[in-house]
Structures are given as C-alpha cells and as structure tokens.
Amino acid sequence: MLLRDTHSPTGIHPVSQSKAAWRAMRAGRPLQVLGRPRMAFTTSKAATFPSTQSLEDPLTTTQDHSSAKHSTEVEREVEQETYDWAKQWYPLAFVEDLDPKVPHPVELLGERLVLWRDADKQWRCFQDKCPHRLAPLSEGRIEPSDGTLMCSYHGWRFDGEGKCTDIPQSLDAKANAAACSNPRSCAISHPTQVLQGKVWVFGEGGSRAFIDSAAVKPALLEDLEDTYPPREKNGGEDCFFAGGHYARDLPYAWSTLMENLADPSHVNFSHHNVVGDRTVDQTMKIVSKEPSKTVPSIKDTFKMAVTSFDDKARDYQTFDMEFVAPCLVKWGIPPWGVGIKHGYMPMYMIPTGPGRSKILWCMLLPTSSMPAPAKLMQRLTPKWLQHISITPQVLDGDTGLLHGQEVAVSKEAEKDLNRLYYMPAQADRFVAAYRKWLAGRGGGGPLPMPETSELQAQPQLLDRYSQHTQNCPSCSRAVQVFTALRIVTAALAAVCAMGIASTLAASHPVLGLPAQFAAGGIVLAGAWLWLSKTIQKYYYVPHTHAHA
Ligand code: FES
Ligand SMILES: [Fe+2]
C-alpha cells in the first residue's frame, strides 16, 4: 500500500517507509491512501488522525490550563459512592501452581489468608488464624483421613465451610459436639470460585460475604470462555499460553503496579533488549475508546487505543489497553512477526498488603497465530525454563524504578499525583486517567501507601526466590533437582581430578587415562558452572539499566 504525503517532495510513502508516514501525520499533514489498506494504522481513517490538541479529553488532566477542570471532575467523582475494594473478586493464584495436598498462605487487602482444597475438591479460603488461639492455619495440614484442615498447634480440624469438626482435647463426644457447634469455634471463610484457571477470592469474609459476593461479577477475560486452556468466544479458536503463566509478589504497592501497567511508553526504555528497543521512534498516540468520552470511573473500566512503533513488527501498530476494576489490565497483542495475528496479554494485579502487590501474568495466542515449529517449541519449553527467561527480567527491570519512585513520592507534600507529575505527552494519557479514577472514585486506592522513606538494596528488591520460586512448584522442583545435580557433578569432577593425579604419579600410567579424566573433568566443570548460573537465576539476578 502507498500513502501520499501532500507535503513530501515525492509525495509517496510505501509501507516500508511508514516512519516517514508517521512523521507526516505527526505534523498534521494529510495523507492520501493509494491502494488497498494493509493494517489499521494505515487506513484512510488513521491517515486523518485529529491533531494532538483536538484529542484532549476529560481523561487528560496534566495540562496546566486544565487544573480547574480537573478539580471539578475529581470533586464530582468524590461525590460518587467510593469504590468498595473489599466487596470484589481477586484471582489469588493459578490453580496449577497450587499443591492440593497442603495449605497455602496468601495475602489480600492486608489480610493474611489460607487457601486449601477440601474433601470435595473445592478450593477454600479462610482467615489465616485459628479460632482457638489464632495460630496460622497455613502452618497446618490437610488430613488425608477426612480432608479437613487441621491446625498444627492443638489439632483442631475444620471442614470446607469453616466449621470445626473436632477438638481433640474435649473430655467426651458430647463436650466436643457442644464446642464444635459454638460459632466461635468456626474459621472465618471467604467466598471462592475457580474461573479461567485461577482461584478467585472475595475480598470480604464472613457469612454476609457469601450473600454480597453473589451479586459481584469478577473481572474475567470477556473474550474467552471459561475453559482450560482457554477458547475464544463466538466461534473463535483455542488459545495457548505463550511463555507460560507467571505469578510474582512485588515489593511495591498495587497503585504503583497499576500505574506501571497503564504505561506502554516505558517498555522500550525500561525493557530495552528484553522486550523493547529504545532506539526506535518513540512517538505514541493514545486515544480514549470510551463512548462519548465520559468520565470512565462511572463504569470502573476504561479502554484506550495505543499507536506506536512496534520493533517486533518493524512497523507502527495499534493495540487496545483496558483497565477493569479492581484488578485487570489487558493489553491487546497486535500482529507481529512469526505469523501472530492477534492475542491477549491479561495482567491481574492483587493488592496484597500496604506497599506490596502481586501480579498474575500470561500471554494467550490463538492456536493458528503461530507457525507449527514455533508453537511446538513454546509447548516443549518447560515452565521452569520460561520462568527464568523474559518475564522475570521484565519485572526486574521495573522494580528498582518503581521502588525509587515510591520513595520519592513519599517525601512529597503533594499527594495528588496528577498534579505532582508533569505529563505533557499523550503517552501518559492512560496513566492520567487511571490516577484520576483512583483519586476520585477509587478513594485513593485499595490500601494506604506506607511511608517508604529509605531505598532498599537491589538483592532485597529483586529477591526472585521469595517472590516467585518458593511458590512455584515447577521452579522450586527445578532448584531441588539442579542443586542435587550440582553436588553430583562436583563429586564426579573430584573423582576425575584424583584420577588424573594418581595416573600421573604412577610409574606406568594407563595409556590415555589422564586425557579421558581431563576431558571428563572439563565437561563436569562446565556442567557445574551451568547449573550454578541457572540456580542463581531462581534467586537473584542483578539488573543495571546502564548496561542493558
Ligand atoms: S491455635 Fe489452632 S488448635 Fe490451638
Ligand atoms: Fe516458576
């Protein structure tokens, strides 16, 4: 396809010169489409993008002249009912990451919880404190005899509903039954459900929560059926997970994580040479897809179209970004090399505690979206290998920046971040919209921001082991196996060294034996080194942007 730039000396931009076409559009020069449109960006509609000025809408509040308007809108939003973060569903874990034989400690909205699977194979969630003397139930065990959750301190047992079924210290059956029928012996339960491969937990516990939760819709991926692996709705295709699932606890607040995921313009810099390229054109247009550009918080969801240069496609691409309160940011995947036509990148953000959050990440591609060899390679790549490749590098790349940002913000008197930040480019439009929603309807966020006045050291911030490995069955198993293999390789290398020494010392060495020992020793040393480096990736990998 050709585009005609009415101010260009030649007037012609083939698609391969799309950077020039983009510059023409930035300058507001009309482009005439010649021939068949090939992609959304280069259609005649795209070629008549409105100017930057006319794209301003109520979502952008960073211009100085809009301060008064911004105040009015925030005040109007505050007048709305504040978003109730507790009466919402949150996906706390991928089901396949949970061992059903043991209880799992989790955290939501500052409350410690325990996830476990009962005798009916239902995932349950209780407050992580035993009604007896408040010991953590996550330290307990699931009794194989009856599938109850037993507190490890004094052996009280609980069924899936939270009802106490046995108090071993009771003097007789009658006393046991009387104590167990007292509501004070019950564990406090949160509603749960398994949807789209994740265990969802309602933010509020207790009997009232089971009534409230029935009326609340979880932030599901609306494009996909509740099947596993997922299938697109409306006669679409089966999808497969590219890069595996990945869950990680993060040492910064939910609101900071959300701001980061609402910001496509950081990718090429923060993740240069990982998933981005800081050397390409960084121009970015973001246009609200809200109908009639109303204030988005009315629906607690908003969507925008992002147009930027995609280094994988080597072309300009448009994709959608969407926020669905309380926990989902979804990036569409535009067409790019290796035959990918479209896909989904949902990122679930969990407000675990003050200054802490958790991300559940995955990338879903329709099965026809990739050539068979690439798909086969994806499928054959074990999760423990996927989990030490790109995704942790991406999160590591952001963590130091976001932590430093939180420390800087905590020292500022101005707490309205849309006033504190200076965001003159459209690239920050989604961030501005989100911050406005959070300050108004969002009531400031799910949890108070902690006073974060001191910078933490990088090994603490990027502690992959406590943030991911210990909770990932695939990675923790890999660490065990690799550690055992490393001991074996070290032992065999020592045998080789002794063999070399003894044969060299002998007056009549066996012909060729020292060379064989030496070759074996080199291979084993290489294996030991590879294992050591690989094991380290499950614990901590230093990240320096200046060297990326
Ligand atoms: S604290 Fe749980 S049984 Fe005593
Ligand atoms: Fe893992």
Side-chain angles (χ1 to χ4, degrees):
M1 187 189 78
L2 298 177
L3 295 173
R4 179 180 294 281
D5 176 1
T6 54
H7 282 58
S8 160
T10 63
I12 300 293
H13 293 296
V15 166
S16 60
Q17 293 175 325
S18 50
K19 192 178 282 191
W22 175 256
R23 288 200 191 98
M25 276 186 277
R26 283 177 66 195
R29 299 197 296 271
L31 288 168
Q32 184 181 348
V33 180
L34 306 175
R36 188 172 60 85
R38 194 173 69 93
M39 52 181 283
F41 173 75
T42 48
T43 61
S44 56
K45 187 177 174 205
T48 55
F49 266 151
S51 70
T52 303
Q53 188 66 29
S54 65
L55 278 170
E56 287 178 11
D57 63 23
L59 306 177
T60 307
T61 56
T62 55
Q63 312 293 327
D64 291 340
H65 63 76
S66 66
S67 296
K69 185 175 73 175
H70 167 61
S71 304
T72 314
E73 284 168 356
V74 169
E75 280 161 19
R76 195 171 73 231
E77 288 189 43
V78 169
E79 284 169 15
Q80 296 177 40
E81 193 181 341
T82 303
Y83 190 76
D84 192 336
W85 294 92
K87 291 187 195 307
Q88 307 295 337
W89 289 98
Y90 298 88
L92 293 197
F94 293 113
V95 176
E96 67 177 46
D97 283 351
L98 295 172
D99 180 352
K101 294 192 285 302
V102 294
H104 300 270
V106 289
E107 194 180 15
L108 177 62
L109 295 168
E111 186 177 35
R112 283 166 47 202
L113 303 169
V114 55
L115 270 182
W116 67 287
R117 204 176 75 164
D118 70 9
D120 297 327
K121 296 189 169 31
Q122 300 289 315
W123 282 98
R124 303 292 189 171
C125 184
F126 296 166
Q127 286 185 3
D128 195 12
K129 53 186 182 188
C130 176
H132 178 214
R133 278 163 47 193
L134 311 191
L137 290 168
S138 58
E139 293 282 335
R141 49 180 278 115
I142 296 168
E143 272 297 295
S145 57
D146 60 359
T148 54
L149 176 63
M150 177 195 275
C151 178
S152 290
Y153 202 9
H154 308 98
W156 288 30
R157 294 189 190 200
F158 304 91
D159 68 13
E161 311 284 326
K163 186 177 180 336
C164 184
T165 60
D166 188 36
I167 298 175
Q169 295 79 18
S170 300
L171 288 179
D172 54 36
K174 192 175 166 198
N176 194 44
C180 288
S181 61
N182 188 319
R184 291 194 61 195
S185 70
C186 294
I188 297 174
S189 183
H190 283 239
T192 57
Q193 55 184 328
V194 173
L195 292 166
Q196 295 187 333
K198 303 168 202 76
V199 181
W200 295 71
V201 174
F202 200 61
E204 181 184 70
S207 52
R208 176 77 215 173
F210 285 82
I211 299 165
D212 293 343
S213 62
V216 179
K217 200 166 166 276
L220 295 175
L221 302 173
E222 294 296 344
D223 307 308
L224 303 174
E225 306 274 7
D226 182 21
T227 52
Y228 196 83
R231 181 174 182 78
E232 291 180 304
K233 282 182 178 168
N234 305 320
E237 300 178 42
D238 286 334
C239 292
F240 71 99
F241 293 98
H245 308 125
Y246 188 76
R248 183 158 168 181
D249 291 302
L250 297 167
Y252 42 86
W254 179 96
S255 54
T256 308
L257 171 61
M258 171 60 208
E259 183 184 300
N260 175 247
L261 301 182
D263 171 22
S265 65
H266 80 282
V267 173
N268 281 341
F269 293 92
S270 189
H271 310 306
H272 176 70
N273 275 343
V274 181
V275 290
D277 184 348
R278 62 175 169 246
T279 65
V280 300
D281 184 3
Q282 304 295 329
T283 316
M284 182 169 281
K285 285 198 172 191
I286 299 188
V287 181
S288 172
K289 294 188 83 172
E290 282 298 305
S292 72
K293 296 187 176 172
T294 52
V295 177
S297 57
I298 291 166
K299 293 195 305 178
D300 300 322
T301 175
F302 43 92
K303 189 175 190 175
M304 298 192 188
V306 181
T307 303
S308 62
F309 188 80
D310 186 321
D311 66 308
K312 291 178 213 68
R314 306 312 297 173
D315 208 341
Y316 293 92
Q317 299 277 32
T318 298
F319 64 94
D320 287 345
M321 287 178 63
E322 188 173 10
F323 167 66
V324 184
C327 56
L328 173 62
V329 170
K330 190 171 58 171
W331 290 29
I333 296 175
W336 99 64
V338 296
I340 291 172
K341 296 170 197 148
H342 71 280
Y344 312 90
M345 192 163 69
M347 294 168 280
Y348 282 101
M349 313 158 289
I350 317 304
T352 47
R356 299 187 298 282
S357 55
K358 180 176 185 175
I359 187 168
L360 270 63
W361 173 94
C362 70
M363 184 158 73
L364 288 157
L365 299 175
T367 44
S368 69
S369 227
M370 244 185 184
K375 206 159 49 194
L376 184 67
M377 211 170 91
Q378 279 283 341
R379 287 201 166 127
L380 291 179
T381 307
K383 200 190 269 190
W384 54 262
L385 193 53
Q386 290 171 336
H387 285 186
I388 53 172
S389 58
I390 291 174
T391 317
Q393 284 184 62
V394 170
L395 291 168
D396 285 354
D398 285 330
T399 297
L401 299 168
L402 299 180
H403 173 65
Q405 181 192 27
E406 282 191 341
V407 171
V409 166
S410 73
K411 294 180 192 301
E412 296 286 341
E414 173 63 74
K415 295 303 175 194
D416 181 342
L417 297 187
N418 266 349
R419 292 180 189 279
L420 184 61
Y421 296 165
Y422 176 57
M423 300 187 286
Q426 278 190 19
D428 290 317
R429 179 166 275 178
F430 206 104
V431 170
Y434 147 68
R435 279 294 175 192
K436 191 154 79 70
W437 179 88
L438 196 70
R441 163 79 164 148
L447 290 162
M449 285 295 286
E451 287 300 317
T452 316
S453 54
E454 297 300 326
L455 283 170
Q456 291 180 37
Q458 201 185 68
Q460 198 177 341
L461 288 172
L462 308 186
D463 177 359
R464 292 182 179 185
Y465 189 83
S466 65
Q467 294 169 6
H468 171 79
T469 304
Q470 67 177 359
N471 299 318
C472 173
S474 181
C475 290
S476 50
R477 181 81 187 129
V479 169
Q480 284 173 2
V481 171
F482 291 159
T483 304
L485 282 176
R486 189 168 59 166
I487 293 168
V488 171
T489 53
L492 291 176
V495 170
C496 286
M498 284 189 291
I500 293 169
S502 64
T503 50
L504 287 178
S507 51
H508 301 290
V510 181
L511 191 63
L513 208 51
Q516 289 162 357
F517 276 129
I522 288 168
V523 169
L524 288 164
W528 186 90
L529 206 61
W530 182 86
L531 286 165
S532 297
K533 283 191 166 181
T534 304
I535 291 168
Q536 185 59 37
K537 289 180 183 171
Y538 294 98
Y539 285 85
Y540 163 60
V541 178
H543 192 99
T544 310
H545 285 286
H547 298 155

